[in-house]
Amino acid sequence: MDDRTPVLIGAGQFTYRGEPQSAPAPTRLLKIAALGAAQDAGLAERDLATIDSLAVVGFTVDAPGGGRATPHSTNPPLSLAKALGAAPTWSVYSHMGGNSPQQLINTLCERISKGESQLGLVAGCEFLGSATKRLTKGLGFDDWDEDQGLDPPERIGDPRPGVTPYEARHGLGRPINTYPLFENALRARDRRSIPDHQKRLGELFAPFTEVAARNRDAWFPIARTAEELITVTERNRMVGFPYTKYLNAIMEVDQSAGVLVASLAKARELGVPEASLVYLHGCADASDLWYPLDRQNFHSSPAMRLTGARALEMAGIGLDEIGIIDLYSCFPVAVEIGAEELGLSLDDPRGLTVTGGLPYAGGPGNNYAMHSIAVMMQRLRQARDTYGLVTANGWFLTKQSTGVYSCRPPGAPFERQDPAVIQRQIDALPHPVVTETPQGRAVIETYTVVHGREGYLMGLVVGRDEADRRFVAHTPADPAVLHSLEAVESVGRGGSVGPAPEGQRNLFVPD
């Protein structure tokens, strides 16, 4: 193998379960993960001072419109570098997206293969669990001595917000509102009844909870039955039809994870045991048509299909040679569509998660996939002749990154395809015309009913007008209307659309 072959040498994870007033600050969370990665590689803390590349996954509070008054460093990569005593020549902070961990590892491996780096760290964390409790209880953040006033970090990734202002006005900027639109469209496409589809959702995610129950780092290490997951109770309220709380990713966690990546020559120089080496055999990155209303439909993902195919092609293997799988699992539909696009069955005997998934292992903002990669490394070291597949998803089934891993040494040099190659194919796809001012008769293309803690909040509809233009609208808040949307299949249901009385949104009144 070429000395510049990139190799993952260590991974660390941390889950904080203590009282919020004692929770580690963000930079401390990142450092704990870095120290864990070094220990996993058989290195000392001082070795972390020699990293020449550092990438930190963007914190949720830095998302467009995040707006939470949570103190953290104004330059997370620089603060982490200082905490490690390092002076990396390449230091970046990602834009938002759950695809970021895999994308950053793909990027760092490419840099190493080109001789631009010898040893790098990719790390991320989420601290919304303790931060939210501190804010609501008035505990303050005096012990979080985070660097302020530093120059902004270099950003990496696509900076565009996940939705247009038009979509945001109607609530599509919240994942708990938007992912159910995909789920209901998928159910309608398959002509599955609402009760049968609810049963399918429980049966899909019950095995995930069983994996989480065996995962020492899981946020909710609790096995639940399929019936428990879908039954509405006081503790498991409906959030966005058809998803109960137990089917939603939970971002208010305190977790961190990091991965060390080196050139093969550097790994051997550091004395990393050969048994610890995990290679990235294949990878790919692409985004679907960016904004939700621009999608061809709400039940597919060309980006998932094409990045999966490219990663396997780069690795030189078929899907049948994959032994271990982790599909991004923020909501059931991400798994359903991901499996379909990759050619996997939902009851594949290999399983579809190594961690337990975001609703159970924890959905640490943009950093979940770092945890799945860390666990994947552990699993592959125990099954050295097999391959592992990791998928990572950002925004609203928008940004996709895929990785194929193995302890087997690669048989060819690492050559990452320019992501623009796949992106051009996707951007050329036909898509509907969108209107912001629909008027007249229309039909529902997909929909959801949004719930608050006290019950119904609103109905959310994506529809087509008589000219087949796509629009988004709310429904009347009438409980009878909202109940009917949940009681009977409403994709294809007719109605009338026009401006809402307040003039900021559209209103769809179903027949």
Side-chain angles (χ1 to χ4, degrees):
M1 283 187 294
D2 191 312
D3 282 348
R4 297 180 299 180
T5 300
V7 60
L8 282 65
I9 62 174
Q13 298 184 81
F14 176 66
T15 297
Y16 177 76
R17 306 184 190 281
E19 295 298 320
Q21 61 268 28
S22 302
T27 301
R28 179 61 184 161
L29 280 173
L30 293 170
K31 183 176 180 179
I32 292 170
L35 292 172
Q39 182 179 31
D40 183 53
L43 305 181
E45 180 176 349
R46 64 179 178 273
D47 292 311
L48 292 172
T50 67
I51 60 172
D52 56 45
S53 298
L54 176 60
V56 173
V57 175
F59 303 149
T60 299
V61 294
D62 286 337
R68 300 204 188 198
T70 307
H72 64 275
S73 171
T74 53
N75 189 323
L78 179 56
S79 293
L80 177 57
K82 288 168 58 179
L84 299 175
T89 56
W90 183 74
S91 174
V92 295
Y93 186 55
S94 81
H95 286 291
M96 297 302 106
N99 63 305
S100 299
Q102 184 63 59
Q103 183 184 45
L104 291 174
I105 286 176
N106 296 349
T107 302
L108 179 55
C109 285
E110 181 180 34
R111 289 178 53 82
I112 290 171
S113 72
K114 292 179 176 179
E116 298 169 351
S117 173
Q118 294 294 315
L119 178 63
L121 171 68
V122 184
C125 72
E126 193 50 77
F127 43 90
L128 279 180
S130 60
T132 300
K133 293 183 178 72
R134 286 185 182 221
L135 288 169
T136 56
K137 296 180 179 181
L139 298 176
F141 296 89
D142 291 343
D143 60 318
W144 283 18
D145 186 21
E146 293 283 273
D147 294 323
Q148 300 295 312
L150 300 175
D151 290 337
E154 179 184 343
R155 303 299 294 266
I156 187 171
D158 196 315
R160 287 178 290 175
V163 293
T164 66
Y166 170 48
E167 292 169 333
R169 286 197 302 274
H170 288 83
L172 266 63
R174 303 191 71 196
I176 58 174
N177 296 349
T178 304
Y179 277 89
L181 298 174
F182 292 93
E183 189 69 64
N184 289 324
L186 184 67
R187 181 193 65 237
R189 184 204 68 178
D190 293 342
R191 300 184 182 277
R192 194 176 294 110
S193 73
I194 290 175
D196 285 349
H197 194 74
Q198 293 303 95
K199 181 180 178 184
R200 166 175 150 131
L201 299 181
E203 292 173 344
L204 172 63
F205 266 11
F208 280 61
T209 72
E210 294 169 4
V211 174
R214 300 189 297 269
N215 179 359
R216 68 180 184 181
D217 294 301
W219 193 249
F220 295 116
I222 304 166
R224 298 189 186 277
T225 67
E227 190 67 21
E228 281 181 278
L229 295 178
I230 63 172
T231 300
V232 176
T233 65
E234 186 176 336
R235 296 180 61 85
N236 189 36
R237 67 180 180 87
M238 184 64 71
V239 177
F241 173 75
Y243 293 151
T244 60
K245 181 180 177 182
Y246 289 162
L247 298 176
N248 282 255
I250 304 296
M251 292 202 303
E252 293 188 348
V253 301
D254 295 286
Q255 295 178 293
S256 61
V259 173
L260 280 168
V261 188
S263 67
L264 182 60
K266 186 66 174 180
R268 288 172 171 166
E269 175 190 321
L270 291 169
V272 179
E274 293 287 329
S276 295
L277 304 183
V278 177
Y279 299 92
L280 179 62
H281 282 247
C283 65
D285 308 275
S287 298
D288 275 309
L289 296 172
W290 191 265
Y291 298 115
L293 292 184
D294 286 334
R295 304 293 166 78
Q296 287 188 297
N297 55 58
F298 288 90
H299 51 71
S300 69
S301 171
M304 285 183 177
R305 181 175 68 256
L306 293 171
T307 57
R310 173 55 195 159
L312 290 168
E313 179 185 43
M314 179 178 170
I317 63 171
L319 188 62
D320 60 334
E321 296 177 78
I322 295 291
I324 309 170
I325 300 166
D326 192 88
L327 299 187
Y328 199 88
S329 50
C330 49
F331 299 89
V333 76
V335 177
E336 293 168 299
I337 291 179
E340 181 174 308
E341 297 292 16
L342 291 167
L344 294 166
S345 169
L346 293 182
D347 60 357
D348 192 295
R350 293 169 288 189
L352 301 178
T353 183
V354 296
T355 66
L358 284 85
Y360 318 113
N366 301 303
N367 199 50
Y368 164 78
M370 198 80 73
H371 293 265
S372 60
I373 293 166
V375 178
M376 182 64 73
M377 290 175 65
Q378 297 169 7
R379 292 282 304 276
L380 288 171
R381 288 166 176 168
Q382 297 163 3
R384 303 188 57 80
D385 288 333
T386 194
Y387 293 86
L389 172 71
V390 172
T391 68
N393 159 66
W395 283 132
F396 310 103
L397 297 183
T398 310
K399 299 188 276 189
Q400 307 300 329
S401 294
T402 303
V404 173
Y405 298 89
S406 181
C407 290
R408 289 184 177 185
F414 184 93
E415 293 183 5
R416 180 189 183 204
Q417 184 185 73
D418 185 345
V421 174
I422 295 178
Q423 198 58 55
R424 283 192 291 268
Q425 298 178 53
I426 296 172
D427 290 345
L429 294 172
H431 54 89
V433 174
V434 174
T435 176
E436 297 191 14
T437 56
Q439 184 77 50
R441 296 295 298 171
V443 296
I444 296 176
E445 183 176 2
T446 189
Y447 70 100
T448 186
V449 177
V450 181
H451 292 243
R453 295 186 183 278
E454 305 304 320
Y456 290 129
L457 287 180
M458 66 178 182
L460 184 59
V461 165
V462 173
R464 299 290 188 109
D465 67 8
E466 290 185 299
D468 203 33
R469 297 176 300 181
R470 183 179 279 161
F471 65 86
V472 61
H474 288 179
T475 69
D478 181 352
V481 171
L482 300 178
H483 174 74
S484 73
L485 291 170
E486 294 186 342
V488 297
E489 180 60 75
S490 293
V491 171
R493 186 173 175 179
S496 299
V497 66
E502 79 280 5
Q504 295 298 309
R505 290 178 287 272
N506 297 322
L507 183 69
F508 177 87
V509 180
D511 294 338

